[in-house]
Amino acid sequence: QVVEGSVKQPIPFGKYLLLERINVGGMAEIFLARSRGLHGFKRILAIKKILPTMAEDTEFIAMFIDEARIAAELSHAGIVQIFELGKFEDDYYIAMEFVHGKDLRFIQERMTRERQPVPIPQACFIVHRICEALDYAHNRKDPTARPLGFIHRDVSPQNVLISYEGAVK
């Protein structure tokens, strides 16, 4: 049972346990999850699931699958790693790296509430890291050196994650 951002108790979801809902949007929700492997192997990750209200939208499902396929082609420190595209029962999901931190929108809103500007060195660092990741993705080539033609079309504060260790993804 999901209760306002949290889960009363872990919810089994295929080979994963959903621990807490950490974000929800108009089309998908993201859960903090733990993998369940052999001999007690565990890994914390994020599971992005299509919302039930979108589960019948074949166009959105196709976009969701394309997002996972494209992201799986990318391996860069500034881009969240995709581990798996899957389907459990009727739910499509993407299993991905969990970034322990906050998104840039949260940070901007907090700085505004505190009437503080984002310090210029930190803002420059964040922008630099975003540009490095976008440059990598936009210039990615296949094994025959042919450009893949990826273009990120949703660079927005809520899509930039800042880890508590200072990583920008």
Side-chain angles (χ1 to χ4, degrees), residues 123-137:
C124 291
F125 176 80
I126 292 167
V127 169
H128 179 75
R129 291 290 191 245
I130 293 168
C131 289
E132 284 179 334
L134 289 170
D135 180 66
Y136 166 82

Side-chain angles (χ1 to χ4, degrees), residues 58-151:
T58 55
E59 186 177 322
F60 177 72
I61 291 170
M63 287 181 0
F64 188 82
I65 292 168
D66 283 345
E67 173 189 338
R69 285 183 182 153
I70 289 168
E73 292 286 325
L74 304 174
S75 179
H76 186 274
I79 299 172
V80 169
Q81 288 278 230
I82 301 297
F83 303 131
E84 176 185 23
L85 167 65
K87 187 175 183 185
F88 176 68
E89 295 176 351
D90 293 329
D91 294 319
Y92 283 94
Y93 68 89
I94 299 170
M96 64 183 97
E97 172 186 5
F98 171 68
V99 178
H100 189 62
K102 298 293 183 189
D103 67 47
L104 189 53
R105 178 178 56 186
F106 175 90
I107 294 167
Q108 288 175 316
E109 288 172 354
R110 182 171 179 182
M111 299 301 287
T112 299
R113 276 194 314 276
E114 294 177 4
R115 300 188 191 285
Q116 296 287 326
V118 176
I120 291 175
Q122 283 80 1
C124 291
F125 176 80
I126 292 167
V127 169
H128 179 75
R129 291 290 191 245
I130 293 168
C131 289
E132 284 179 334
L134 289 170
D135 180 66
Y136 166 82
H138 293 172
N139 291 301
R140 181 84 163 94
K141 295 178 174 49
D142 71 10
T144 66
R146 190 178 77 233
L148 292 174
F150 296 152
I151 302 294

